[in-house]
Amino acid sequence: QCCLHPYIPECGTEWWLLVGLLCIPLLAVYLHIPPPQLSPALLTWRSAGAFFTFRSNNIFYRETYGAVGSSDVVILLHGFPTSSLDWYKIWEPLNRRFNRVIALDFLGFGFSDKPRPHRYSIFEQASVVEALVSHLGLTEQRVNLLSHDYGDTVALELLYRSDHNRTGHLTINSLCLSNGGIFPETHHPRFLQKLLKDSSFLSPVLTRLTNYMVFSKGLGDVFGPYTQPTDAELLDMWTGVRFNDGNLVMDSILQFINQRDEHRDRWVGALTSTFIPVHMIYGPLDPVNPHPQFIFLYQKLVQRSTVSVLDEHISHYPQLEDPTGFLNAYFSFINAF
């Protein structure tokens, strides 16, 4: 009846609002355009790798044999929302130093399967790494972990399992972290990440509405002003996200931020109590883990770790922004013991 009342204009407004809300999911479906074609760089990267099966999901990994006369193995753990391709600039130098260089795409990332619906967790990703090590026959081998961002938290779960002698654990020779949000109190997720991890009813729409323009702006913001990724690199990163509809699982994967809060004592505790050699490589212009709060807290809590702070213009992706500085820092650490 109220809509017949000449002095209550809200009723018409409510009707249009309802239509608008109904149109949003239709628009989102409309915007679900096909993913970009794989570039020659991505095709080359994929053809150089292989797949193994973890709980009926295909996991992509890449492995090369390098330094003769060395038995050293390094396993590279990438960050969110990208993939093993993050390591391409430092792969060859690592290959000259290590006998085996291994990287994987975590479940839900890159060329690996991206099941949905699925409860993605750091614990499962650590189990993926353990399964890969077993698949490659390296269970008894001492391995060096080199991680970044999301991979840092996976590495800390692997460290916890190793130090607590859990079944199937890795034998970790050393751990090098880089720019990971390992302390919830100094971690500043991006605005879209906060929306996706907490807005269960909005997330399906937001994941479909996120396009290359939104993605490239967000990722560019966590690179330094003088070390921005090229358009080709950004497109490859976005293609990796879109491959197998990975954009549609972003909200589920982002629960790792809440998991870091919930399991802080377990993962930070593993880091502060371990006797395994640990190093942190840090790009100080990182808006996600800002300077100086992050590194001050790290040095205060992780007193047995050594630290390399890179040039002041290096941000959240140091292995891509300053591969030479990153490698110098890593080799100084790894060659010291």
Side-chain angles (χ1 to χ4, degrees), residues 155-313:
L156 294 184
E157 173 57 20
L158 291 165
L159 181 65
Y160 178 90
R161 295 180 187 186
S162 177
D163 284 353
H164 289 77
N165 213 25
R166 295 291 173 90
T167 304
H169 72 81
L170 305 188
T171 306
I172 301 173
N173 187 55
S174 73
L175 169 61
C176 181
L177 308 162
S178 58
N179 283 80
I182 52 181
F183 306 121
E185 57 269 45
T186 59
H187 181 241
H188 297 267
R190 311 307 288 163
F191 176 69
L192 188 58
Q193 292 181 348
K194 291 179 189 174
L195 273 181
L196 285 173
K197 80 178 180 71
D198 293 328
S199 307
S200 55
F201 70 98
L202 268 181
S203 295
V205 177
L206 290 172
T207 53
R208 288 184 182 274
L209 287 175
T210 301
N211 56 23
Y212 173 66
M213 193 172 67
V214 173
F215 174 85
S216 56
K217 170 72 171 71
L219 210 64
D221 285 348
V222 299
F223 279 72
Y226 310 114
T227 52
Q228 286 287 302
T230 64
D231 289 345
E233 285 174 326
L234 279 170
L235 188 56
D236 280 347
M237 290 170 177
W238 174 239
T239 304
V241 169
R242 284 297 316 272
F243 190 84
N244 284 339
D245 288 332
N247 55 309
L248 303 183
V249 301
M250 286 291 120
D251 53 329
S252 184
I253 290 174
L254 275 163
Q255 296 310 307
F256 79 85
I257 297 173
N258 299 328
Q259 291 162 23
R260 279 177 178 163
D261 289 340
E262 186 179 348
H263 303 288
R264 182 195 185 282
D265 291 349
R266 178 187 179 100
W267 293 331
V268 175
L271 183 59
T272 56
S273 64
T274 190
F275 286 95
I276 288 168
V278 177
H279 190 68
M280 168 64 74
I281 301 176
Y282 178 58
L285 202 59
D286 186 355
V288 182
N289 306 289
H291 188 273
Q293 300 94 313
F294 169 79
I295 206 67
F296 282 3
L297 184 61
Y298 183 87
Q299 290 174 311
K300 177 184 172 185
L301 295 182
V302 197
Q303 295 182 1
R304 278 191 285 266
S305 174
T306 47
V307 171
S308 298
V309 179
L310 301 180
D311 289 348
E312 62 184 17
H313 63 273

Side-chain angles (χ1 to χ4, degrees), residues 46 59 79 108 125 149 176 178 208 219 240 297 327 331:
R46 187 173 67 167
I59 303 295
Q125 304 288 19
D149 182 65
C176 181
S178 58
R208 288 184 182 274
L219 210 64
L297 184 61
L327 281 166
F331 287 151

Side-chain angles (χ1 to χ4, degrees), residues 22 25 38 45 60 69 77 80 94 138 140 170 175 177 193 225 231 265 304:
L22 286 171
L38 298 186
W45 190 262
F60 175 82
L77 307 176
F80 175 91
L94 288 173
L138 292 170
E140 303 301 318
L170 305 188
L175 169 61
L177 308 162
Q193 292 181 348
D231 289 345
D265 291 349
R304 278 191 285 266

